[in-house]
Amino acid sequence: MASSMKWPTFSASDTPLEVLVKLSRFYGSDPEFVLAGGGNTSVKVGDRLFVKGSGHALATIPPEGFVEMDRKQLEALLNSTLSEERLQREAEFKAATLAARIHPEKNQRPSVEALLHHLMPGQYVVHTHSTLVNMVTCCAKGPELAKQLAGDVVWIPEVDPGYILSRTLRQSLEDYRKTTGRDCPRAVLMQNHGLVICADTPEGIRSHTDWLVQTLRKQLAAVGNASSFGPVTTIDPAAARNLIQAIAPALRGLLATGENLKVVTFSDAPEVMELVGGADGKTVATIGPLTPDQIVYCKSFPLWIEPAADAAAPTLVEQLRQAIQEHTQKTGSAPHVILAKGLGMFAAGDDFAGADTVRLVYTDVIKVMAGARQLGGIRYMDDGMRKFIEDWEVESYRKTIGAAGRAAGRVAGKVAIVTGAAQGFGLEISQDLISQGATVVLTDVNAQGAQAAAARINAQLGKPRAIGLPINVADSASVAEAIYQVVRCFGGLDVLISNAGVLKAGSVKTMPEKDFDFVTTVNYKGYFVCVQRAAPILAMQHLARKEYFSDIIQINSKSGLAGSNRNGAYAGSKFGGIGLTQSFALELVEDGIKVNAICPGNFFDGPLWSDPQNGLFAQYLRSGKVPGAKTIADVKRFYEAKVPMNRGCTTADVVKAIYYLIEQKYETGQALPVTGGQVMLS
């Protein structure tokens, strides 16, 4: 069958609405048919129409996501005469459609194509933006190709959506009946828009869809697999890596309109490289949009850039700034898609979900352009239609609904990296940052643990707000690779939490040198390496947006403020960390980077202290650090008694300090104690 998804099980006891939900989720979950929550579905039950409501994605739509409509009122609307003036007609159509709702008190907004769904003869209607079908609907020879489908397809030329589309469809269906003697075509192809399938059963929807897809695949296969955009040339991989790490963070700053920087995700997928590396790529990409989805999510025109691999950072930023300004003046909006010749595609959004949607939709556009070119040439949207969609209230409403779901909180919109995040302090810090609106990269030498933790977080939230990456903070190459992957995914970062740390307690008289080296390498050198690799990315963002400041925060320790008996390796590494913090702060302030440290008291309940075999309580008991202690509980009581507040530090205590340092714009080079009064600055 056409879809790669598993066909749902339908039972005789399913209501028509339950059948529709299953059918909607099936096609809505297949990216070959639906991207970015697009498309709509419906079912007719007597004189009622249940049609998808705005703001719901087909992949997850519940029964209550469908709007119940009065078909008699929809029929009256279809037979009415509306204003010939475009904007007035749209206002009248919107009012009439809303008036046809059975339950206006629910304040649901039906799909703008509710009238089309009413008009289609089958009980079930599925409208999608199939990639393969749009290769035909966006092809200059689309009408000819449609005629080759044995009279089973109705072709609808490009017309205004809503009222005009429905009236045009009614006439086309009447012509189809006169020509074929049949009431229902297997498919309706809408020029530069998508596919509509109707049938009285879900199996009928499936049969018609599979027939069309298989037929079109044969047509596409018959024209061969030659390069769609001319001979391809690409940038040397090493130079490409450097360019990505310069351009992406610069774009984050240059495209920002508010306090937060944009999220910019990068793609060098094969289909993307075929376009950006193709000799005809620029011409093909910059003529105009192909579909309404492209306009809504990607804007009508991408920005095409041809960056020099050896350009200095200030020069590159100014070139990008000028290119964005010229593009904005010419097109009326800043670009969402930036195509770099021979390098790849940068997709920008207010958050990762938004940027990734831009990436997905424009990648689909590239596939459509490639197929349309092979089938006979691209048919771009009419310029008047393009401008109409750009200003269309319906699409503005759809974007408003999407924006309402964005994260909120004290660090909303920020991208944070947390090292040592697979468990303990690092994981809990990551979880709190996410609860306050950040997107977080959990990194750890335990790669599986970090990835599993990120997967759990995303599953709980039902959206991608975390990723897990491997990192060995003491290995420069490992840190560089992690930073590079963050840049590819998000364009850069706003906050680096250097949390990874180890502890081996022991007397200076007996501690093995390898243990001292291990603690020093991870705690001291690891902090240095992470800052060294992250700083150029943060600096590039500041170069692009001078008022923007980023944050590096080391999770240090009270042992960085006062010596620790029989714990010299750890205390020494933490004292050194404060020295690095102060030195980094002095140097990096010119790059818009604040560098601070937090010095927590003992995190007694975490694995560092409480692990029964290797935790500090167990280590201190074995080393005799606590006189007279017989059990781990004795050791814990001894250390709790040292704290004026009579308890250990918690993650909640630390994250409040993190938020303070991020929000405080006039603080850098500080070591902030969070010790319950155990260590006080003088």
Side-chain angles (χ1 to χ4, degrees), residues 373-449:
R373 251 196 154 204
Q374 291 178 358
L375 289 169
I378 300 171
R379 198 276 184 191
Y380 297 89
M381 289 183 71
D382 175 78
D383 203 49
M385 181 63 71
R386 169 184 67 81
K387 293 176 181 177
F388 172 69
I389 297 295
E390 287 174 345
D391 299 329
W392 196 21
E393 184 275 338
V394 171
E395 296 299 2
S396 298
Y397 176 81
R398 183 155 60 133
K399 287 196 291 186
T400 301
I401 292 293
R406 290 192 190 124
R410 297 179 72 175
V411 284
K414 293 188 181 292
V415 177
I417 298 177
V418 181
T419 66
Q423 61 180 3
F425 235 172
L427 176 56
E428 293 180 11
I429 289 171
S430 300
Q431 291 169 327
D432 206 277
L433 289 168
I434 289 169
S435 75
Q436 290 296 323
T439 297
V440 178
V441 183
L442 289 75
T443 66
D444 204 289
V445 69
N446 175 9
Q448 289 185 339

Side-chain angles (χ1 to χ4, degrees), residues 342-662:
L343 181 65
M345 171 177 68
F346 299 90
D350 290 328
D351 53 22
F352 176 68
D356 200 46
T357 294
V358 173
R359 177 188 67 83
L360 288 169
V361 171
Y362 199 81
T363 301
D364 187 70
V365 169
I366 295 173
K367 294 176 182 178
V368 170
M369 287 193 293
R373 251 196 154 204
Q374 291 178 358
L375 289 169
I378 300 171
R379 198 276 184 191
Y380 297 89
M381 289 183 71
D382 175 78
D383 203 49
M385 181 63 71
R386 169 184 67 81
K387 293 176 181 177
F388 172 69
I389 297 295
E390 287 174 345
D391 299 329
W392 196 21
E393 184 275 338
V394 171
E395 296 299 2
S396 298
Y397 176 81
R398 183 155 60 133
K399 287 196 291 186
T400 301
I401 292 293
R406 290 192 190 124
R410 297 179 72 175
V411 284
K414 293 188 181 292
V415 177
I417 298 177
V418 181
T419 66
Q423 61 180 3
F425 235 172
L427 176 56
E428 293 180 11
I429 289 171
S430 300
Q431 291 169 327
D432 206 277
L433 289 168
I434 289 169
S435 75
Q436 290 296 323
T439 297
V440 178
V441 183
L442 289 75
T443 66
D444 204 289
V445 69
N446 175 9
Q448 289 185 339
Q451 291 162 354
R456 288 195 302 273
I457 291 169
N458 292 334
Q460 290 167 359
L461 295 175
K463 59 186 69 175
R465 293 281 303 286
I467 64 171
L469 290 176
I471 198 171
N472 178 353
V473 297
D475 178 21
S476 182
S478 173
V479 175
E481 181 61 24
I483 295 293
Y484 175 58
Q485 293 304 322
V486 170
V487 171
R488 284 180 63 95
C489 195
F490 305 110
L493 65 148
D494 304 290
V495 182
L496 169 64
I497 307 290
S498 181
N499 168 74
V502 295
L503 189 154
K504 284 187 177 290
S507 166
V508 66
K509 301 174 184 178
T510 58
M511 172 176 274
E513 186 175 339
K514 64 179 180 61
D515 288 353
F516 182 89
D517 288 342
F518 173 64
V519 172
T520 305
T521 298
V522 174
N523 295 357
Y524 182 71
K525 178 187 173 183
Y527 177 34
F528 162 79
V529 170
C530 289
V531 173
Q532 184 181 62
R533 291 299 184 174
I537 307 302
L538 301 175
M540 198 70 176
Q541 295 171 168
H542 178 69
L543 188 61
R545 192 173 179 84
K546 288 295 185 181
E547 64 270 31
Y548 165 80
F549 273 70
S550 56
D551 286 275
I552 295 174
I553 299 173
Q554 188 205 25
I555 304 301
N556 197 281
S557 170
K558 70 176 181 60
S559 296
L561 300 173
S564 182
N565 183 27
R566 290 183 175 85
N567 201 15
Y570 183 75
S573 69
K574 293 301 184 178
F575 265 78
I578 291 176
L580 292 178
T581 295
Q582 294 178 355
S583 301
F584 295 158
L586 292 170
E587 177 183 355
L588 299 180
V589 68
E590 65 184 29
D591 294 322
I593 305 170
K594 296 185 289 148
V595 187
N596 292 286
I598 294 172
C599 300
N602 298 326
F603 186 39
F604 291 144
D605 294 327
L608 181 65
W609 280 86
S610 294
D611 183 276
Q613 300 300 321
N614 298 311
L616 292 181
F617 292 137
Q619 290 188 50
Y620 290 167
L621 181 64
R622 289 194 295 266
S623 67
K625 185 173 179 179
V626 178
K630 304 295 185 183
T631 66
I632 286 177
D634 292 338
V635 178
K636 183 176 183 180
R637 282 192 294 271
F638 176 83
Y639 279 96
E640 286 176 336
K642 289 177 173 288
V643 183
M645 290 188 172
N646 203 36
R647 69 169 175 85
C649 186
T650 68
T651 303
D653 301 320
V654 174
V655 294
K656 288 173 184 172
I658 290 174
Y659 299 139
Y660 163 76
L661 290 173
I662 292 172

Side-chain angles (χ1 to χ4, degrees), residues 251 255 265 272 275-276 285 294 297-305 327 334-340 344-349 355 357-363 365-366:
L251 290 174
L255 295 172
T265 192
V272 171
L275 176 70
V276 300
Q294 180 182 350
Y297 294 105
C298 307
K299 296 298 183 182
S300 295
F301 300 95
L303 170 63
W304 184 277
I305 60 174
H327 177 92
H336 286 194
V337 175
I338 299 90
L339 302 174
M345 171 177 68
F346 299 90
T357 294
V358 173
R359 177 188 67 83
L360 288 169
V361 171
Y362 199 81
T363 301
V365 169
I366 295 173

